[in-house]
Amino acid sequence: MKRLLPLFAMLLLLGSARAATPLPGDSVYNLPVQLTDQDGRRQTLAERRGRPQLVTMFYTSCQMVCPMIIDSLRLTRNALDPATRAQVDLLAVSFDPAKDDVTTLKNYAEKRKLDPRIWTLARAEPAQVRQLSGVLGLQYRQLPDGEFNHSSELILLDADGRIAARTARIGKLDPEFVEAIHQLVAHPHD
Amino acid sequence: MRVRLALALLGLMLALPAGAADYAALPGGRFASVLPADGKVAPAQVAPFRLRTEPVTNAEFLAFVKAHPQWRRDRVAAILADRRYLSHWADAETLGGEALPRQPVTRISWFAAQAYCESEGARLPSWYEWEYAAAADASRRDARSDPAWRENLLAWYSRPSNAPLPDIGGAPNAYGVRDITRPVWEWVDDFNALLVASDSRDQNDPDVLKFCGAGAISLQEKENYAVLMRIAMLSALKAADTTNNMGFRCAKPQ
């Protein structure tokens, strides 16, 4: 038993290592946000801690820029070398929780051929959508016809949820942003 | 129907702690905002709502911080409030001489204001709700065409920003709402949504394509620049920012 104790201690340490490290104050994971994804799975935003994330906000009924936001996210991921690509998750949160329910997100993901192992399309309650846009520095405004005006950006979060890079270049690859992702994955503690 | 009403009343009683803040009922309706709803000319539609009659005070915010220590200035996450958050208080749980109990609380981030309102079973008002409530004077619900109303709004700018804030308790407007244009500016829920529409959207050049949706927003009532300045100010802020003169009040559905 005595010999096992250090082993237990080590297991405990390993198991709690991530949870025990306090979140950096500038992490977006300090914001409590409850996400529900295209398969109806519930996850808090902070549960995405541990791996770098490419994050954006969009809505499915948007005809103009949003398809290009999704395209840009795909384009960016495809531009990564395979080792880096395997380290990064994609998250797109809807501005429009009233229309974008789980089924709508699911249909959209299927129509756009967004592999659920890579893509998380998510909704949150309206107040939390506004808060999330606040920490991410994105703006949106609903118009009387139900459409939204919104800023379109891709945001890179490090494993602890700090904003490491962002790009407003949509529809075209931003090489500097791609480089920032490579840098982050290669040197996560810089 | 009667059951539903009884349930609603019961819910209301349970939700209201003792000594709860006063809220005034505002009827809402079509409202000619300085910010057209469609970015062009459409009037805003304001649903009936209730608005806190007074801004949140230092004493009220102190009680909130004691009950929710994650909002103490020495514990709050940097991404939710900047370094000046509550920095005029004597310490994390003491107001001191620079922050009197009945003064409106300032140096508050949007996140902190939201969290406070949530603790009161409320939310921040939207810009339209705030603008609608602030359009009233002591006797009229929409006094904006009266030069006296405009001068009153502009008088705010002549007060030195380092002068101590007066206590709340000004005269009520036609809705029974006090201190809405003075002594502090107030956060609104959609502060970062007001000037989103931008003419930087140009479908021929995806490099500069920044915004989705309708084109350039056109501001109405240009002579009403005291209100437009508020929009410019709110739009310039980030959600974690705090300023000497930015406070808040909360709103609830009808």
Side-chain angles (χ1 to χ4, degrees):
Chain A
M1 187 62 200
K2 216 174 184 180
R3 234 181 293 160
L4 282 178
L5 268 178
L7 187 68
F8 278 133
M10 209 164 84
L11 279 175
L12 268 176
L13 269 176
L14 279 175
S16 61
R18 186 181 297 169
T21 318
L23 266 183
D26 53 353
S27 166
V28 303
Y29 297 150
N30 284 294
L31 187 71
V33 178
Q34 179 70 55
L35 301 172
T36 306
D37 74 8
Q38 70 268 38
D39 290 312
R41 278 187 301 246
R42 287 164 64 80
Q43 181 188 47
T44 63
L45 182 66
E47 285 176 67
R48 302 187 73 84
R49 188 179 183 190
R51 280 162 61 89
Q53 309 280 320
L54 287 177
V55 182
T56 194
M57 294 179 76
F58 80 120
Y59 65 107
T60 64
S61 61
C62 165
Q63 300 300 318
M64 213 183 311
V65 181
C66 302
M68 292 170 66
I69 297 176
I70 299 296
D71 289 344
S72 298
L73 210 47
R74 192 197 313 254
L75 211 60
T76 304
R77 182 174 183 275
N78 289 345
L80 300 173
D81 65 52
T84 305
R85 201 182 300 157
Q87 297 294 316
V88 177
D89 298 325
L90 307 185
L91 172 66
V93 181
S94 173
F95 289 114
D96 190 6
K99 277 196 225 128
D100 285 340
D101 55 17
V102 169
T103 313
T104 308
L105 292 175
K106 180 80 176 168
N107 291 342
Y108 186 82
E110 283 172 358
K111 198 177 97 197
R112 300 294 317 270
K113 300 191 168 55
L114 307 176
D115 184 340
R117 290 168 298 180
I118 299 161
W119 290 80
T120 301
L121 306 186
R123 67 184 302 284
E125 290 312 308
Q128 299 199 336
V129 174
R130 182 64 70 193
Q131 292 178 338
L132 182 63
S133 78
V135 286
L136 294 176
L138 297 173
Q139 300 177 306
Y140 70 102
R141 166 181 172 81
Q142 187 160 26
L143 301 171
D145 63 3
E147 295 289 303
F148 287 76
N149 282 354
H150 61 88
S151 52
S152 305
E153 291 189 65
L154 309 185
I155 294 161
L156 172 65
L157 300 182
D158 74 10
D160 279 333
R162 284 172 294 210
I163 295 174
R166 59 196 307 142
T167 181
R169 185 184 284 204
I170 296 298
K172 239 187 209 177
L173 196 64
D174 181 345
E176 280 178 35
F177 189 63
V178 171
E179 177 56 22
I181 304 169
H182 280 135
Q183 285 297 326
L184 178 71
V185 171
H187 310 285
H189 300 297
D190 281 1
Chain B
M1 186 61 205
R2 214 177 276 168
V3 174
R4 211 193 292 168
L5 198 69
L7 278 176
L9 280 174
L10 184 69
L12 211 63
M13 286 191 300
L14 290 175
L16 288 177
D22 279 339
Y23 281 76
L26 282 73
R30 278 163 72 93
F31 177 69
S33 168
V34 296
L35 206 62
D38 60 353
K40 298 178 193 83
V41 292
Q45 286 291 340
V46 178
F49 69 107
R50 289 182 295 151
L51 189 63
R52 219 174 190 276
T53 53
E54 295 177 341
V56 175
T57 63
N58 280 314
E60 288 168 329
F61 203 80
L62 177 64
F64 165 75
V65 164
K66 285 181 173 170
H68 302 88
Q70 70 269 35
W71 289 102
R72 287 165 56 113
R73 72 180 191 196
D74 55 353
R75 295 199 194 155
V76 71
I79 199 159
L80 303 181
D82 70 14
R83 283 183 184 181
R84 292 206 309 168
Y85 173 68
L86 300 178
S87 58
H88 55 314
W89 286 14
D91 66 43
E93 285 200 355
T94 313
L95 297 183
E98 302 288 305
L100 303 176
R102 283 283 287 168
Q103 284 173 340
V105 68
T106 58
R107 300 192 196 181
I108 283 291
S109 71
W110 177 82
F111 291 113
Q114 266 212 333
Y116 179 94
C117 289
E118 202 174 308
S119 78
E120 208 167 270
R123 56 176 173 77
L124 286 173
S126 69
W127 165 260
Y128 285 146
E129 287 170 341
W130 185 91
E131 190 189 0
Y132 170 84
D137 69 3
S139 56
R140 292 163 295 182
R141 290 180 166 181
D142 191 345
R144 291 177 296 169
S145 58
D146 185 341
W149 179 89
R150 289 182 185 167
E151 267 159 42
N152 182 50
L153 202 59
L154 286 169
W156 187 91
Y157 298 98
S158 60
R159 197 183 66 82
S161 66
N162 56 359
L165 289 171
D167 283 2
I168 57 166
N173 72 13
Y175 299 116
V177 169
R178 301 168 185 271
D179 307 301
I180 191 156
T181 54
R182 287 191 278 176
V184 290
W185 288 26
E186 297 180 0
W187 282 111
V188 295
D189 178 63
D190 49 351
F191 78 99
N192 65 348
L194 306 177
L195 294 180
V196 174
S198 160
D199 51 9
S200 68
R201 182 182 64 92
D202 180 344
Q203 292 188 69
N204 297 321
D205 185 355
D207 272 359
V208 296
L209 182 137
K210 246 176 127 176
F211 293 107
C212 183
I217 208 152
S218 87
L219 297 167
Q220 301 297 302
E221 309 268 336
K222 298 196 176 52
E223 65 282 12
N224 197 347
Y225 60 93
V227 173
L228 293 173
M229 280 168 79
R230 299 234 173 186
I231 290 182
M233 167 74 174
L234 285 164
S235 299
L237 292 174
K238 293 195 286 294
D241 287 347
T242 71
T243 84
N244 285 346
N245 292 303
M246 185 67 82
F248 71 101
R249 74 179 69 218
C250 313
K252 295 179 179 184
Q254 196 187 26

